[in-house]
Amino acid sequence: MDLFSSLDAEPARKRIDELTQLVDRYNHEYYMNDTSLVSDYEFDALLRELQELERQYPELAQPNSPTKRVGGEVNKTFRQVTHRFPMLSLGNTYSMEEIAEFESRTRRLLEGTAFSYTCELKYDGVAIGLTYKHGQLVQAVTRGNGTVGDDITANARTIPTVPLRLRGDYPDDFEVRGEVVYPFEAFEAMNRRREAEGDAPFANPRNAASGSLKLQDSRECARRRLEFCMYFMMLPPGTALPSGSPLLSHYGRLQAARDMGFRVQPHIRECAGMEEIKAYIDYWDKERWNLPYGIDGIVIKVNQTSLWDSLGMTAKSPRWAIAYKFKAARVATPLEHVSFQVGRTGVVTPVANMQPVWLGGTTVRRATLNNADFIEKMDICEGDTLWVEKGGEIIPKVVGVDLSRRLPGAQPVAYARCCPECGTPLVRSEGESGYYCPNQDGCPPQIVGRLEHFVSRKAMNIDTLGHERLEMLYRAGLVCDAADLFDLRREQLIGLGSEEGSAIQERGADNILAALEEARRVPFDRVLFALGIRYVGEVGAKKLARYFHTVDALMQAGVDELAQVEDVGEKTAVTVYDYFAVDAHRRLVERLRAAGLQMRLEERLLSDVLGGKTFVVSGVFEHYSRDEIKQSVEAHGGKLASSISGKTDYLLAGERMGPEKRRKAEKLGVPVIDESTYRSMIGDETA
Ligand code: IVH
């Protein structure tokens, strides 16, 4: 049903304006004031109505429509933009004495002038600058090298605390700067989601925020729940401000920014001198752990903006501000015992179990000891007292041993000889830093871990089976390997439950069976990846599938032939060969084949115009994402290589390709073609 098909342009324009204002207002109240003025249901209905109208009347859609918050624009490239004013960094120090020196130097330089400082949090995120013209967001740029950054406007628009249009009074043309942070809760939720989907988790919120701003798909950026913490308002030089204007002080500018619709953190304080500055720093050094996002220090600025010019600059940073950086929180606590954890590939990780200790806002009991090399390098003995540190990264780290408290005659920590889960003697391969349990087919965490990998998104994508359900199926004796999944019957599933999770109902059982049915259509390369052969990742599986076409050919291949496959090195060739040399693995393949899984590659060639020519693809493209252009090369009969060699036929160069690649291609006489030449080669000249 098309509700709006009869709407003329004029009523549509009015309704679009009305909806835009309503949704903007509800968003503002929700994100800035924590107030829901309407139910989620009503809000979604309004947003959908607006989306639908914009779809029908694209010419009436506004660039800063609240519908942009949900993303949808694809960033093929990130245009490089020169900052109107360089994005400076700050002088920083870990020493309170140096802060006192900064304070007394500033006082000396400003002698006879009344002034104050502001103290505020130093957000641990990614700096961006937002330009507003006539109250509309027109551009968002990353800091880059301080002079030139990347245009990330489409992604910035999806951050709820980046206002798309301003409210009240605002300068006509100005820039605000701030930090995009990943609040801990949203960060952890995203990492859990990534792990469930078979993606590697991000190491810390800062890296994740930075990666999110560079996502090609702005819809994914919208899902990430980033936040923008505004810390700076720049006015064009020469802006005349009447005396008494709030914009004459940094503090006043941030308050004014709040009225314009920015989320300004409430923790900024005006301070008269060193005593108050120190009290502020001391307070936040303890209190920082209770914030919902990470901070790594405190920024102290001279509050009166008219004094900034007279204080001037050092080489890179202004003399009117300084950053105090927090040291990582550190405590010493006795080691009680070392336990050992077994992962899905059998790798055994040692874990320090320590006397519980309060550190950076939480009680710490356990921390990883990484591997045998780490224990050796740190020289950890039984009964030692360990130094544990917590930086901005949440996860506590063991950083050393307090040797002054070592017990006489203490013995080095003994590494487990046998697997703690199945008792099999552990093995240490040459050149590896840790031990692993070789009992792949009898060790419970390895079995369940392999099943988890098998169902993960990039493998068979059976999302109705998560860790908990797989463990349940294993414990119930119903599933030991991937092929067992396809023998499951409805009546076996219904009622299956565990203490932690609720039992599977009829609908749940049907959903599982439907997802297993769907898995029968998953292409062979992903089935191969799903088997979880050591070192065979997503790309390796694709290359092997394309080379051998069928599982039978692959199972018959010798190490030499396997090693000939592009990007499959000697190490992988050996593990693939060893894998198929095991009878149980060959039987597993047969059972999966009998269950109806794809064991040969379905060729979906669009043409063969590239006739086996080898392409190296580099840079960014206008009409394709990197993956799309690679798929296109293969779909037209071309082959891909990752580095340029004498065997390369073409270097397909997008924008921002590194100069090294071009030089190498020229040296080897490899033709360099651009995107439009490529498109005419494959006969795709549509705009
Ligand atoms: S003021 C010219 N205030 O820390 C002054 N910076 O080197 C510009 N940062 O790159 C910076 N929180 O990205 C300022 N409250 C805050 C900040 C802050 C984080 C970042 C900023 C800058 C770096 C300092």
Side-chain angles (χ1 to χ4, degrees):
M1 187 179 61
D2 208 341
L3 274 174
F4 308 102
S5 54
S6 59
L7 227 54
D8 293 335
E10 203 36 50
R13 184 193 308 278
K14 262 184 76 185
R15 184 64 183 152
I16 285 180
D17 279 354
E18 215 169 82
L19 287 167
T20 303
Q21 277 181 27
L22 261 182
V23 174
D24 265 351
R25 183 160 150 245
Y26 294 152
N27 262 336
H28 178 84
E29 289 300 325
Y30 185 80
Y31 287 107
M32 307 293 172
N33 300 334
D34 282 335
T35 314
S36 292
L37 295 181
V38 284
S39 68
D40 286 359
Y41 178 80
E42 281 169 274
F43 181 85
D44 286 346
L46 293 172
L47 194 66
R48 245 179 291 122
E49 187 183 345
L50 182 56
Q51 271 167 334
E52 177 58 23
L53 277 174
E54 288 179 348
R55 194 186 59 75
Q56 285 187 40
Y57 301 92
E59 68 286 1
L60 300 181
Q62 301 174 12
N64 279 326
S65 160
T67 56
K68 296 284 190 283
R69 295 266 191 231
V70 289
E73 269 179 74
V74 176
N75 302 288
K76 291 268 148 102
T77 59
F78 291 99
R79 203 165 51 90
Q80 299 248 298
V81 179
T82 304
H83 293 292
R84 220 181 329 169
F85 311 103
M87 272 181 102
L88 303 173
S89 62
L90 293 177
N92 65 61
T93 176
Y94 287 92
S95 133
M96 195 66 89
E97 286 73 51
E98 285 184 22
I99 297 293
E101 278 166 28
F102 161 83
E103 198 282 324
S104 57
R105 189 177 58 238
T106 310
R107 211 163 359 98
R108 212 175 42 248
L109 289 169
L110 296 177
E111 212 174 340
T113 316
F115 75 99
S116 59
Y117 300 96
T118 56
C119 285
E120 61 198 86
L121 308 183
K122 185 171 180 322
Y123 311 107
D124 192 10
V126 183
I128 64 168
L130 303 174
T131 302
Y132 287 85
K133 287 192 180 156
H134 317 302
Q136 300 276 342
L137 173 70
V138 291
Q139 193 172 59
V141 184
T142 59
R143 181 186 141 84
N145 62 9
T147 308
V148 178
D150 285 326
D151 180 337
I152 45 119
T153 314
N155 285 343
R157 281 204 178 102
T158 69
I159 302 175
T161 41
V162 167
L164 300 180
R165 311 135 189 274
L166 302 180
R167 312 152 68 91
D169 287 335
Y170 42 77
D172 200 41
D173 179 357
F174 73 119
E175 186 178 336
V176 300
R177 290 182 177 170
E179 206 88 346
V180 173
V181 296
Y182 215 138
F184 294 132
E185 213 182 292
F187 169 73
E188 276 159 27
M190 182 265 314
N191 258 354
R192 277 198 299 274
R193 198 180 82 205
R194 284 178 73 83
E195 281 179 307
E197 292 179 350
D199 290 326
F202 280 107
N204 60 54
R206 189 188 341 98
N207 290 0
S210 164
S212 303
L213 292 179
K214 294 295 189 60
L215 282 165
Q216 291 206 319
D217 181 355
S218 60
R219 258 170 323 182
E220 175 57 22
C221 189
R223 291 172 78 191
R224 300 249 171 130
R225 296 193 280 141
L226 300 168
E227 254 182 55
F228 175 66
C229 297
M230 190 249 173
Y231 60 61
F232 207 64
M233 182 193 292
M234 330 247 324
L235 297 178
T239 307
L241 294 170
S243 74
S245 161
L247 302 185
L248 284 166
S249 76
H250 173 64
Y251 190 87
R253 286 184 187 185
L254 294 198
Q255 305 314 313
R258 179 174 292 132
D259 296 338
M260 293 175 201
F262 290 96
R263 172 179 283 187
V264 176
Q265 295 299 319
H267 313 298
I268 180 169
R269 290 284 174 273
E270 204 178 334
C271 294
M274 192 54 205
E275 202 178 315
E276 287 177 25
I277 294 174
K278 183 170 181 312
Y280 186 90
I281 291 176
D282 289 344
Y283 175 80
W284 282 108
D285 198 358
K286 295 195 188 68
E287 225 12 66
R288 63 179 151 143
W289 308 107
N290 295 325
L291 286 165
Y293 46 78
I295 63 169
D296 58 352
I298 296 297
V299 180
I300 302 128
K301 298 172 187 159
V302 169
N303 189 24
Q304 287 69 22
T305 58
S306 59
L307 301 176
W308 290 354
D309 276 351
S310 61
L311 287 165
M313 298 270 303
T314 64
K316 283 192 307 210
S317 45
R319 259 192 252 271
W320 44 263
I322 193 165
Y324 174 84
K325 300 254 278 183
F326 293 131
K327 292 175 208 60
R330 174 189 270 228
V331 283
T333 184
L335 170 67
E336 288 182 335
H337 70 280
V338 175
S339 57
F340 294 87
Q341 255 173 10
V342 187
R344 96 166 155 91
T345 54
V347 171
V348 175
T349 308
V351 177
N353 295 264
M354 300 164 292
Q355 217 169 72
V357 62
W358 186 249
L359 174 66
T362 49
T363 304
V364 175
R365 295 183 169 81
R366 289 156 59 83
T368 180
L369 293 174
N370 302 306
N371 51 44
D373 280 358
F374 183 88
I375 295 181
E376 241 169 78
K377 218 170 61 209
M378 289 267 166
D379 176 29
I380 302 174
C381 289
E382 306 280 353
D384 267 354
T385 295
L386 303 180
W387 285 112
V388 190
E389 236 181 54
K390 191 152 139 186
E393 264 132 49
I394 328 166
I395 300 159
K397 278 193 297 207
V398 172
V399 292
V401 173
D402 182 352
L403 289 175
S404 69
R405 291 196 243 177
R406 173 159 289 172
L407 305 172
Q411 291 301 304
V413 162
Y415 212 85
R417 287 173 183 277
C418 295
C419 174
E421 301 279 344
C422 69
T424 306
L426 300 182
V427 176
R428 186 176 197 176
S429 313
E430 203 157 318
E432 307 244 338
S433 46
Y435 288 83
Y436 72 93
C437 165
N439 181 20
Q440 287 178 26
D441 301 315
C443 180
Q446 294 192 59
I447 295 171
V448 177
R450 257 197 318 277
L451 290 168
E452 269 184 272
H453 171 75
F454 184 81
V455 302
S456 66
R457 189 172 58 96
K458 290 186 173 162
M460 305 303 287
N461 193 22
I462 306 172
D463 61 0
T464 44
L465 290 174
H467 172 82
E468 205 184 293
R469 283 190 169 170
L470 289 171
E471 200 154 81
M472 235 152 66
L473 290 166
Y474 170 68
R475 284 188 202 289
L478 292 172
V479 174
C480 267
D481 63 27
D484 292 339
L485 291 171
F486 297 90
D487 293 335
L488 284 170
R489 292 192 312 274
R490 193 167 184 268
E491 63 275 16
Q492 289 175 314
L493 289 168
I494 295 171
L496 205 65
S498 68
E499 272 172 31
E500 309 91 58
S502 51
I504 298 175
Q505 309 291 316
E506 291 191 5
R507 235 181 78 198
D510 289 338
N511 288 341
I512 292 173
L513 294 175
L516 287 164
E517 185 55 45
E518 189 68 23
R520 293 179 164 102
R521 281 195 285 279
V522 168
F524 171 51
D525 56 314
R526 278 174 46 198
V527 176
L528 186 56
F529 171 58
L531 291 179
I533 305 171
R534 218 163 181 212
Y535 308 130
V536 177
E538 220 188 324
V539 178
K542 248 192 193 101
K543 299 261 158 103
L544 288 167
R546 274 181 217 278
Y547 188 95
F548 291 101
H549 290 268
T550 67
V551 79
D552 301 292
L554 178 66
M555 287 198 293
Q556 276 160 26
V559 173
D560 289 349
E561 194 183 358
L562 285 161
Q564 271 183 18
V565 180
E566 202 185 324
D567 290 345
V568 174
E570 186 77 24
K571 195 163 88 171
T572 313
V574 172
T575 58
V576 174
Y577 181 82
D578 287 351
Y579 182 87
F580 289 117
V582 175
D583 273 349
H585 295 155
R586 295 173 91 93
R587 273 200 305 276
L588 175 71
V589 168
E590 288 319 322
R591 288 175 58 218
L592 290 173
R593 191 203 309 259
L597 266 59
Q598 303 284 324
M599 291 294 168
R600 58 167 48 241
L601 198 63
E602 287 256 357
E603 292 294 357
R604 264 171 284 149
L605 275 188
L606 295 175
S607 80
D608 200 23
V609 287
L610 303 179
K613 293 269 188 281
T614 301
F615 285 71
V616 171
V617 175
S618 182
V620 282
F621 298 88
E622 195 189 341
H623 294 89
Y624 309 86
S625 70
R626 184 81 72 85
D627 277 349
E628 281 165 358
I629 204 157
K630 286 184 167 174
Q631 276 165 16
S632 162
V633 168
E634 291 182 321
H636 289 281
K639 289 198 294 197
L640 292 167
S642 53
S643 58
I644 302 166
S645 71
K647 290 192 210 141
T648 312
D649 291 299
Y650 295 103
L651 170 60
L652 176 44
E655 274 177 52
R656 289 201 274 148
M657 180 182 77
E660 260 314 296
K661 281 226 164 79
R662 186 177 294 275
R663 243 176 271 140
K664 188 156 180 204
E666 279 163 9
K667 205 170 124 205
L668 294 172
V670 173
V672 182
I673 57 168
D674 64 8
E675 185 175 352
S676 80
T677 313
Y678 172 74
R679 295 180 77 209
S680 47
M681 279 167 94
I682 59 165
D684 174 11
E685 271 139 313
T686 46

